[in-house]
């Protein structure tokens, strides 16, 4: 029985090749796109779950409340970890991370700057899972100056991953680190990725009892059956016990949050995260896209199948007269839809394997062919086939099986099936989804462009940034280097600082700031710059003056406009700032106000900022002539090797550094836009079937009207008006839905492009134009046909 059904289904597919190809093409694209999105979604949901104890590992976050401000930090104080393990029986292990910052390491003649190297406690491998290629996890991080390398770093310095334990590498200060282990590279689906781990016992001892300095990631392994919320409540007394003596006099409160590590990637809203985060809102959006792509593919199948109904009516009539029941006919059509889905699935697997590198490039993921053949993928594929086969084939099956055999064999289909309303609903669903996708695509693209093109308060083009990372004092060499650069006509300006927009090196310190109500204590961002920094960055002094000479190191500071407005300064020049509890009478005075600029990404509102003067900093910023950048960079490197022979020459461009903060958004934006375009394409395939169905159903009517004298324009308008109405109805549905979700999405960004009518009107115009072009094609084709052919059976 089943064999016969499959054989008949296969013959029907082969019989009408054009119909079958169009059906299979739509389903193949829909399944392929959905499969890619499923891969992406499952990967995002899998972060940090590879640890065997992931359900018990939590990170401790810090919530800092000032009188007029609140901050949420992913890092805490250094002594917190040992205190948690000592004072709370719920904690089985506590582990701390702290970044060692960018530093040069060398092995023989090999010299590289390295980042993502962390100091961690010796019990790290009792909490987190990593496969050791060499070494013993129980002892690898106990002794000072011990280091565990990842496989990638071991290959980089030694050309191999085994046989290197016991060897040493040095940093640029000459300190030796003994290699005690080599582990596999950290999986990409981890919220914290490192290249090497240093033993925490290597750190200076000054951190031990400092509850006032934040900057350490603290993780706990809770004992079985301990809930994070329950444990979090027990941490409240820690403020009075350990921190009130430091912060209470400044009216600053601190409490801790306990966050499971498996929720960090998609649910964290903390500052100072070690890696780019995902977003649960994107997961919902991409899940909806995957579902809608399959749904549209199924609707296409329904429309194409019903469009072909007239050709199969006699087959159905003969089957019914020969004794076939409704169940047999329904089964036949469901088998056909399932067979079509299976063929599409095989093609989509091949297409997925072919396009995998392209998708990896767009998404920033690292999927391989193994992802396709995993058991979990097999279940998803079966679910997709079942969904497409059942949903796509159900309506045609029940619709076609209701044909009256007598009417069918006479040459006319029953018009009492009641399918017109459902068909129109399907059209509106397709149009609405297409419009929503177009609107969302426009808003996402517009916001991404807005972030790239927004005036940031500084000129970032042709700005090269070079960092001097060395433990020894390099001030004199830096001065020599930048003085040499100033003699190069292709160097328009050069400056030094401790940080630059989008970069690290910013401090957050507590200051006593003069205000209308006297001196108030508040935390403010700050770093040091030289007198050329403002010019090199293309910034603007709004009030007062810039730094001028070394005498500014004594008392002078620059502040930004946000600092002025935050403290209500009517006349900021001369306003005083001091360090808390400083009784020496030493004050810093404002000599100039810089126009607000974005020190951080557009995810962050511009915060108050204090800039101190320093003659030389370790970040060198060079404004280059746009005409001779390659030759100028070559000269910069040549001069560098003369003055800093032991340090590798590395540079970045400020615009690239700043834009890298939006790398995750750019990747997700590319995914969204790419799949939105494909959704529109699948909808267009559906329109072909839908309009083919309409013109086929109305062929006799069009023929009669043509014989009665109706012109081409009248015939076109007759068919077109129905679809114009459906587009209008779709607008009423799509516009409010798209507005709600896009307005909510834009609130993520403190600075956003907003919503405008262009995206909404444009989406309707695009759908209308595509529809009209398709209608025109089929209507003109039907109108030009010989009317006697369609009227022969009457």
């Amino acid at each position: 029985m089943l064999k016969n059904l499959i054989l008949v289904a296969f013959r029907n597919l082969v019989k009408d090749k054009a119909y079958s190809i169009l059906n299979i093409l739509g389903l193949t694209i829909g399944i392929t796109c959905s499969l890619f999105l499923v891969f992406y979604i499952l990967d995002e949901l899998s972060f940090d779950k590879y640890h065997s104890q992931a359900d018990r590992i939590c990170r401790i976050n810090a919530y800092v409340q000032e009188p007029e401000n609140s901050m949420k930090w992913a890092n805490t104080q250094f002594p917190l970890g040992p205190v948690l393990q000592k004072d709370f029986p719920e904690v089985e292990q506590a582990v701390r991370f702290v970044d060692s910052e960018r530093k040069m390491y060398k092995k023989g003649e090999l010299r590289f700057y390295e980042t993502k190297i962390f100091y961690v406690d010796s019990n790290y491998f009792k909490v987190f899972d990593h496969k050791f290629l060499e070494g013993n996890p129980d002892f690898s991080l106990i002794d000072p100056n011990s280091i565990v390398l990842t496989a990638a770093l071991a290959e980089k310095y030694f050309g191999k991953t085994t046989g290197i334990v016991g060897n040493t590498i040095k940093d640029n200060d000459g300190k030796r680190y003994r290699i005690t282990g080599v582990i596999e590279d950290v999986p990409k689906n981890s919220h914290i990725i490192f290249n090497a781990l240093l033993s925490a016992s290597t750190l200076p001892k000054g951190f031990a009892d400092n509850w006032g300095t934040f900057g350490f990631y603290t993780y706990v392994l809770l004992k079985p059956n301990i809930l994070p919320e329950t444990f979090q409540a027990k941490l409240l007394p820690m403020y009075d016990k350990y921190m009130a003596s430091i912060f209470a006099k400044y009216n600053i409160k601190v409490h801790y949050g306990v966050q499971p590590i498996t929720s960090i990637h998609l649910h964290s809203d903390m500052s100072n995260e070690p890696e780019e985060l995902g977003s649960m809102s994107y997961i919902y959006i991409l899940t909806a896209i995957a579902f809608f792509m399959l749904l549209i593919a199924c609707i296409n199948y329904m429309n194409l199948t019903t469009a072909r109904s007239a050709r199969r009516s006699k087959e159905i009539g003969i089957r019914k007269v020969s004794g076939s029941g409704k169940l047999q006919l329904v089964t036949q059509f469901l088998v056909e839809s399932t067979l079509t889905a299976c063929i599409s699935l095989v093609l989509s697997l091949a297409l997925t394997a072919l396009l995998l590198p392209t998708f990896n490039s767009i998404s920033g993921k690292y999927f391989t062919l193994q992802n396709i053949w995993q058991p979990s993928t097999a279940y998803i594929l079966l679910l997709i086939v079942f969904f497409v086969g059942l949903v796509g084939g159900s309506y045609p099956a029940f619709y076609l099986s209701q044909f009256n055999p007598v009417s069918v064999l006479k040459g006319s289909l029953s018009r009492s099936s009641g399918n017109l309303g459902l068909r129109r609903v399907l059209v509106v669903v397709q149009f609405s989804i297409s419009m929503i996708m177009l609107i969302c695509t426009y808003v996402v693209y517009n916001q991404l462009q807005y972030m790239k093109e927004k005036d940031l308060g500084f000129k970032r083009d042709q700005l090269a940034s070079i960092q001097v990372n060395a433990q020894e004092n390099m001030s004199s060499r830096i001065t020599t280097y930048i003085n040499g650069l100033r003699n190069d006509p292709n160097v328009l300006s050069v400056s030094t600082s401790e940080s630059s927009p989008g970069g690290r090196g910013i401090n957050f310190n507590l200051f006593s700031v003069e205000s209308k109500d006297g001196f108030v204590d508040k935390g403010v961002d700050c770093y040091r710059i030289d007198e050329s920094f403002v010019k090199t960055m293309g910034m603007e002094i709004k009030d007062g003056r810039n730094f001028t000479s070394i005498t500014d190191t004594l008392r002078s500071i620059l502040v930004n406009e946000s600092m002025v407005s935050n403290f209500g300064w009517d006349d900021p020049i001369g306003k005083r700032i001091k360090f808390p509890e400083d009784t020496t009478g030493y004050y810093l005075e404002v000599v100039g106000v810089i126009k607000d600029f974005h020190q951080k990404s557009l995810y962050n509102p511009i915060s108050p900022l204090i800039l101190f003067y320093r003659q030389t900093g370790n970040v060198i910023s060079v404004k280059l002539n746009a005409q001779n950048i390659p030759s100028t960079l070559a000269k910069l490197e040549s001069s560098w090797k003369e003055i800093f022979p032991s340090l590798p020459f590395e540079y970045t461009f400020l615009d690239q550094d700043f834009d890298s903060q939006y790398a995750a958004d750019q990747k997700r934006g590319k995914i969204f836009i790419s799949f939105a375009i494909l959704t529109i394409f699948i909808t267009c395939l559906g329109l072909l079937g839908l309009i083919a169905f309409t013109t086929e159903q109305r062929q006799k009517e069009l023929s009669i009207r043509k014989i009665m004298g109706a012109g081409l324009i009248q015939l076109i308008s007759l068919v077109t008006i129905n679809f114009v109405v459906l587009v209008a109805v779709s607008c009423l549905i799509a516009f409010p839905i798209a507005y709600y979700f896009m307005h909510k999405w834009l609130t993520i960004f403190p600075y956003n492009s907003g919503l405008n009518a262009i995206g909404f009107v444009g989406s309707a115009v695009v759908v209308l134009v595509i529809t009209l072009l398709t209608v025109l094609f089929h209507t003109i084709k039907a109108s030009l046909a010989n009317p006697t052919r369609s009227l022969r059976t009457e």
Side-chain angles (χ1 to χ4, degrees):
M1 178 66 178
L2 181 60
K3 180 180 178 181
N4 181 60
L5 290 173
I6 294 173
L7 184 61
V8 172
F10 183 75
R11 285 174 179 170
N12 281 320
L13 289 177
V14 175
K15 182 180 178 181
D16 197 339
K17 295 183 178 64
Y19 154 82
S20 300
I21 290 172
L22 199 58
N23 246 339
I24 291 171
L25 178 61
L27 289 173
T28 299
I29 295 173
I31 293 173
T32 302
C33 294
S34 298
L35 200 55
F36 278 132
L37 291 175
V38 166
F39 287 161
Y40 185 91
I41 292 166
L42 290 178
D43 183 75
E44 288 288 288
L45 294 172
S46 72
F47 266 65
D48 297 300
K49 292 181 180 178
Y50 62 89
H51 298 294
S52 60
Q53 304 175 111
D55 59 324
R56 295 196 286 135
I57 304 173
C58 297
R59 186 180 68 189
I60 309 299
N61 300 322
Y63 294 83
V64 182
Q65 180 67 53
E66 292 182 337
E68 299 178 356
N69 192 23
S70 61
M71 292 154 287
K72 297 183 287 187
W73 294 335
N75 38 35
T76 57
Q77 308 98 314
F78 187 72
L80 177 62
V83 167
L84 291 175
Q85 193 161 343
K86 173 177 171 290
D87 291 359
F88 295 92
E90 295 87 352
V91 176
E92 188 173 311
Q93 299 285 343
V95 178
R96 297 163 297 180
F97 278 72
V98 60
D99 194 347
S100 69
E101 301 296 338
R102 183 174 183 263
K103 187 185 293 187
M104 188 190 76
Y105 290 86
K106 48 191 176 182
K107 172 68 173 66
E109 297 299 317
L110 296 174
R111 300 176 184 219
F112 300 102
Y113 285 117
E114 302 294 350
T115 57
K116 297 184 182 297
I117 294 180
F118 291 85
Y119 294 96
V120 297
D121 288 310
S122 58
N123 60 341
Y124 172 82
F125 295 110
K126 293 181 180 179
V127 178
F128 300 94
D129 294 342
H130 296 279
K131 183 179 179 181
F132 265 73
L133 304 177
E134 187 178 20
N136 189 326
D138 295 330
F139 307 104
S140 57
L141 291 171
I142 294 177
D143 297 329
N145 299 331
S146 299
I147 186 170
V148 174
L149 306 180
T150 58
L153 213 61
E155 285 278 0
K156 186 176 181 179
Y157 285 94
F158 296 92
K160 56 183 180 179
T161 58
T162 57
I164 62 174
V165 167
N167 286 278
T168 61
I169 59 173
K170 295 192 295 184
D171 63 16
N172 54 354
D173 195 32
K175 183 182 293 185
R176 289 185 176 273
Y177 298 90
R178 181 174 176 272
I179 299 168
T180 54
V182 179
I183 60 174
E184 287 186 346
D185 292 338
V186 181
K188 299 299 181 182
N189 58 339
S190 174
H191 81 281
I192 183 166
I193 296 175
F194 55 82
N195 295 319
L197 296 175
L198 294 164
S199 54
S201 57
T202 309
L203 286 168
K205 304 302 179 185
F207 293 117
D209 298 313
N210 188 347
W211 285 92
T213 301
F214 295 76
F216 304 86
Y217 299 104
T218 304
Y219 297 83
V220 293
L221 176 65
L222 299 177
K223 290 182 178 178
N225 302 320
I226 301 297
L227 296 176
E229 311 84 59
T230 305
F231 178 60
Q232 179 174 307
K234 294 188 176 183
L235 300 181
L236 290 175
M238 292 193 70
Y239 175 79
D240 293 328
K241 186 174 182 180
Y242 295 103
M243 293 168 278
S245 59
I246 301 174
F247 296 114
K249 52 192 169 188
Y250 306 118
N251 293 320
I252 296 175
K253 296 282 187 180
V254 180
H255 71 274
Y256 298 118
V258 180
Q259 184 174 22
I261 62 163
T262 53
S263 74
I264 291 175
H265 180 68
L266 292 176
H267 298 279
S268 177
D269 59 351
M270 313 302 292
S271 300
N272 307 321
E273 287 287 354
E275 298 291 335
E276 295 175 350
L277 294 177
S279 170
M280 201 63 204
S281 63
Y282 280 106
I283 298 301
Y284 294 140
I285 291 171
L286 295 178
T287 301
I289 292 174
F291 173 76
F292 286 140
M293 292 190 87
L294 282 178
L295 182 61
I296 289 176
C298 291
I299 291 174
N300 289 353
Y301 182 88
M302 296 178 194
N303 291 328
L304 289 169
T305 303
T306 51
R308 189 171 169 262
S309 60
R311 302 181 190 179
R312 299 194 64 179
S313 58
K314 289 184 180 179
E315 172 198 340
I316 297 166
I318 292 171
R319 281 177 177 271
K320 282 196 169 186
V321 170
S322 301
S324 292
K326 183 176 179 180
L327 180 60
Q328 288 176 298
L329 291 172
V330 168
T331 305
Q332 176 65 54
F333 286 112
L334 288 178
V335 168
E336 286 186 22
S337 64
T338 304
L339 179 62
T340 305
C342 289
I343 294 172
S344 301
L345 178 63
V346 173
L347 293 175
S348 70
L349 287 174
L351 192 59
T352 301
L354 184 66
L355 297 178
L356 206 55
T358 303
F359 182 72
N360 285 339
S361 176
I362 293 173
S363 66
K365 297 292 186 180
Y366 302 89
F367 298 121
T368 65
L369 293 176
Q370 292 180 348
N371 291 94
I372 299 177
W373 309 121
Q374 287 180 350
S376 58
T377 306
Y379 295 130
I380 293 169
L381 294 176
L382 288 174
L383 186 62
I384 288 174
V385 170
F386 178 78
F387 179 85
V388 173
L390 185 60
V391 175
S394 58
Y395 171 56
F398 287 101
Y399 166 61
L400 296 175
S401 64
Q402 289 179 358
F403 286 170
N404 186 315
V406 176
S407 299
V408 165
L409 295 176
K410 281 183 176 181
S412 61
L413 295 177
S414 172
R415 301 305 177 100
S416 60
S417 59
N419 60 3
L420 183 60
L422 178 58
R423 212 165 53 243
R424 286 177 174 172
V425 169
L426 294 178
V427 177
V428 170
V429 169
Q430 276 192 311
F431 284 171
S432 299
I433 292 173
S434 299
M435 285 186 195
I436 291 170
M437 294 295 292
L438 283 169
I439 294 168
C440 295
T441 300
Y442 172 80
V443 174
V444 170
Y445 176 79
N446 207 31
Q447 177 62 24
L448 294 177
Q449 288 300 112
Y450 175 83
M451 292 192 295
K452 291 177 67 174
E453 298 170 2
K454 185 181 184 299
D455 180 12
L456 300 174
F458 62 92
K459 297 177 181 177
R460 54 183 178 170
D461 298 331
Q462 289 86 50
L463 256 175
S465 180
I466 310 167
Q467 289 193 38
V468 182
N469 288 99
Q471 296 296 321
E472 59 184 297
N473 190 334
M474 290 283 185
S475 297
S476 61
R477 294 192 190 185
I478 293 172
T479 301
T480 302
Y481 183 66
I482 63 174
N483 286 338
L485 297 184
R486 289 189 173 114
N487 295 325
D488 190 329
N490 289 314
V491 174
L492 305 181
S493 181
V494 61
S495 68
T496 67
S497 59
E498 290 179 343
S499 184
S500 58
R504 293 187 173 188
I506 306 172
N507 298 311
F508 184 81
N509 291 340
L510 193 64
F511 295 95
S512 289
V513 183
E514 186 177 357
S515 72
K516 294 178 180 179
D517 302 319
F519 281 88
V520 296
D521 297 320
K522 191 169 184 179
V524 182
D525 289 334
C526 59
Y527 60 93
R528 299 179 185 275
I529 64 172
D530 68 8
E531 65 273 20
S532 300
F533 182 81
V534 172
K535 175 186 174 183
T536 304
M537 293 291 160
M539 296 174 179
E540 181 183 346
I541 299 291
K542 297 291 289 184
D543 196 4
R545 65 173 177 86
N546 186 20
F547 292 135
T548 56
S549 66
I550 195 170
T551 57
D552 280 321
T553 56
L554 299 177
R555 290 188 180 273
S556 303
I557 57 172
L558 300 178
V559 298
N560 65 353
E561 292 175 302
S562 292
M563 183 82 175
V564 174
S565 61
N566 193 269
F567 289 97
W569 291 341
D570 296 325
D571 182 11
I573 305 305
K575 285 295 186 287
R576 297 178 298 172
I577 295 171
K578 65 177 183 177
F579 294 99
E581 300 183 345
D582 188 339
T583 58
T584 63
Y586 177 79
Y587 291 95
L588 296 162
E589 292 187 356
V590 177
V591 298
V593 178
I594 293 182
K595 180 182 178 182
D596 272 345
F597 65 93
H598 289 271
Q599 176 66 38
K600 301 175 184 177
S601 74
L602 295 180
Y603 279 114
N604 305 278
I606 297 176
S607 303
L609 177 68
I610 299 173
L611 297 172
F612 300 96
Y613 177 80
R614 182 176 179 178
Q615 194 172 18
T616 57
N618 69 325
V619 179
I620 302 172
S621 300
V622 187
K623 187 73 171 180
L624 304 174
N625 186 333
Q627 305 301 318
N628 301 289
I629 290 179
S631 60
T632 307
L633 289 173
K635 291 180 182 178
L636 263 61
E637 182 176 9
S638 176
S639 177
W640 177 276
K641 289 180 178 178
E642 291 179 9
I643 299 172
F644 305 100
S646 62
L647 300 179
F649 176 75
E650 292 183 2
Y651 67 90
T652 58
F653 281 100
L654 190 61
D655 55 350
Q656 296 173 351
D657 282 349
F658 205 89
D659 288 344
S660 67
Q661 299 176 103
Y662 312 121
D665 282 312
Q666 295 288 345
K667 291 170 187 173
R668 288 190 287 255
K670 286 180 181 178
I671 292 173
F672 187 87
I673 292 169
S674 300
F675 285 93
I677 292 171
L678 288 170
T679 302
I680 305 304
F681 178 73
I682 296 174
T683 301
C684 290
L685 291 178
L687 276 174
L688 289 174
L690 186 70
I691 295 165
F693 174 86
T694 302
T695 53
E696 186 170 354
Q697 289 291 87
R698 304 186 68 176
Q699 182 68 57
K700 289 187 175 72
E701 177 191 348
L702 294 174
S703 299
I704 293 171
R705 288 179 179 273
K706 184 176 180 181
I707 291 172
M708 298 298 291
L712 182 61
I713 301 299
Q714 290 175 298
L715 296 177
I716 291 173
S717 61
L718 185 68
V719 178
T720 302
I721 189 65
N722 293 325
F723 287 96
V724 172
V725 171
L726 294 179
V727 170
V729 173
S730 301
C731 290
L732 296 176
I733 297 173
F735 285 6
I737 293 174
Y739 180 88
Y740 173 79
F741 286 107
M742 286 296 96
H743 176 74
K744 191 173 182 180
W745 179 72
L746 285 173
T747 58
I748 298 173
F749 305 89
Y751 306 92
N752 61 66
S753 58
L755 294 171
N756 57 59
I758 296 175
F760 293 85
V761 175
S763 69
V765 170
V766 169
V767 171
L768 185 60
V769 168
I770 292 173
T771 303
L772 291 179
L773 289 175
T774 312
V775 170
L776 285 172
F777 172 77
H778 283 282
T779 307
I780 292 173
K781 181 181 177 183
S783 301
L784 295 177
N786 188 342
T788 58
R789 289 187 177 181
S790 59
L791 297 175
R792 277 177 184 171
T793 57
E794 294 295 331

